Amino acid sequence: MTDTTSAPSAVRAAGAVAARITGTVRIVGTGLLGASIGHALRAKGVDVVLSDTSPAQQRLAIDYGAGRAPAEGDAPVLIVVAVPPDVTADVIQAELERFPEAVVTDVASVKLEPFRELSARGVDLRRYIGSHPLAGRERGGAISARADLFIGRPWVVCRDEETSAADLSLVEALALDVGAAPLEMTPEEHDRSVALTSHVPQVVASLLAGRLAEAEEGALRLAGQGVRDTTRIAASAPELWVQILGANAAPVVEILDALAADLREVSDALRAPDAPGARRAVAEAISHGNDGVERLPGKHGQNRRFESLVVMVDDTPGQLGRLFGELGELGVNVEDLRLEHSPGAQFGLAEISVDPAALHGAISGLTERGWRIAGNTND
């Protein structure tokens, strides 16, 4: 087993930027989020204690270096609860009672229900501040944890009128130490927001992917990047999402009902596509989607649109590295990248997003260097 006990001092010796948090951080729950927080804090030299109801999961996270085992006399200044939604309130209450000097936060994806449940129990919540990092991966568990999981991602912090400035600053320090961007919201604002941007997209992706389960093999061979993009998050754990959706049911239902009405309007138009107004209804639905995409923050939070070029890349080692290197030589910054493999072919398609001003130079420069641009007239 790897010895990780000296990792914090080793990181300090390597010249890591000092952490804002001073003192021990206790993390309860060593899945993807809990272990990733542990890795990120230890990279800053923070003393991290890991606790989990599963001894095997806890030992695995410790073996991977996300923190150490609890010890007699531990006095954490901050406790991070990273457990499934159906036990979040219970664990928050237990940690508040066990460590009366610590601030307790949680990273559950629903904020209002645990707050209401704890309030109904009469729990003193002055040292509790709900929070939620908007980060994750399709794979879970300590084995998938990464120290860079939260870099540049929003981290919602839910304060109330009883939250002290010192306690609030501690939770915000946690977000900043792991590389996230803290953002204050009320629990109600948070739950309405994630219903639209996370929970309903999960339902829609899962329902669409479910249509593929009974599709003919011939149809699946035609699958392109569009269906892969819209179903990517469908590979999620049903047990977890039953809990999340149940805990945030009201705002999710409201959005799903509105979406169902939109779908009905389009389907009615397509039942009689030559009827007066039918084409307009379809066009306006697509156009309204354009408006929504325009509002999504892009790279570095900018509301900017980029142009795309599609480059054919041979399926051999080093080709992507060469492509990026030559784009760099051309002075072209890659804003985004999507890869799509061509079924049965020994090449893939790299869709590269660039600043519109750089598009022509990128196409001409890559073409001169022998790259094939899909759809380019010079190809």
Side-chain angles (χ1 to χ4, degrees), residues 161-321:
E161 62 276 4
E162 294 186 335
T163 302
S164 74
D167 291 351
L168 178 66
S169 66
L170 188 57
V171 177
E172 290 180 339
L174 167 68
L176 292 168
D177 277 346
V178 301
L183 175 67
E184 284 192 26
M185 283 185 170
T186 66
E188 294 86 353
E189 289 171 337
H190 169 272
D191 287 4
R192 287 197 304 269
S193 298
V194 294
L196 176 62
T197 61
S198 175
H199 301 171
V200 168
Q202 175 65 54
V203 174
V204 172
S206 295
L207 291 175
L208 179 58
R211 297 292 90 201
L212 303 176
E214 300 174 1
E216 297 180 359
E217 289 298 322
L220 296 179
R221 284 198 291 269
L222 302 181
Q225 198 60 39
V227 71
R228 297 179 192 278
D229 284 347
T230 51
T231 60
R232 179 182 60 82
I233 59 173
S236 300
E239 301 84 0
L240 175 62
W241 276 99
V242 166
Q243 296 181 39
I244 292 173
L245 294 170
N248 201 28
V252 169
V253 167
E254 182 179 346
I255 297 168
L256 285 176
D257 284 346
L259 183 61
D262 293 340
L263 288 170
R264 175 60 62 187
E265 185 175 348
V266 172
S267 62
D268 286 346
L270 292 176
R271 284 188 178 89
D274 293 327
R279 286 181 171 81
R280 176 176 177 175
V282 174
E284 288 184 350
I286 302 298
S287 178
H288 198 48
N290 295 163
D291 296 339
V293 169
E294 288 278 2
R295 295 195 63 198
L296 288 175
K299 186 178 179 184
H300 308 311
Q302 302 168 347
N303 284 24
R304 297 179 55 193
R305 292 302 300 273
F306 300 107
E307 297 287 348
S308 296
L309 67 151
V310 179
V311 184
M312 300 173 67
V313 181
D314 290 337
D315 190 12
T316 55
Q319 291 302 298
L320 272 179

Side-chain angles (χ1 to χ4, degrees), residues 119 144 155 160 165 188 241 331 368 374:
S119 297
S144 301
W155 189 304
D160 60 36
E188 294 86 353
W241 276 99
E368 290 171 1

Side-chain angles (χ1 to χ4, degrees), residues 24-38:
T24 297
V25 174
R26 172 179 165 87
I27 299 175
V28 183
T30 56
L32 173 66
L33 291 183
S36 292
I37 293 169

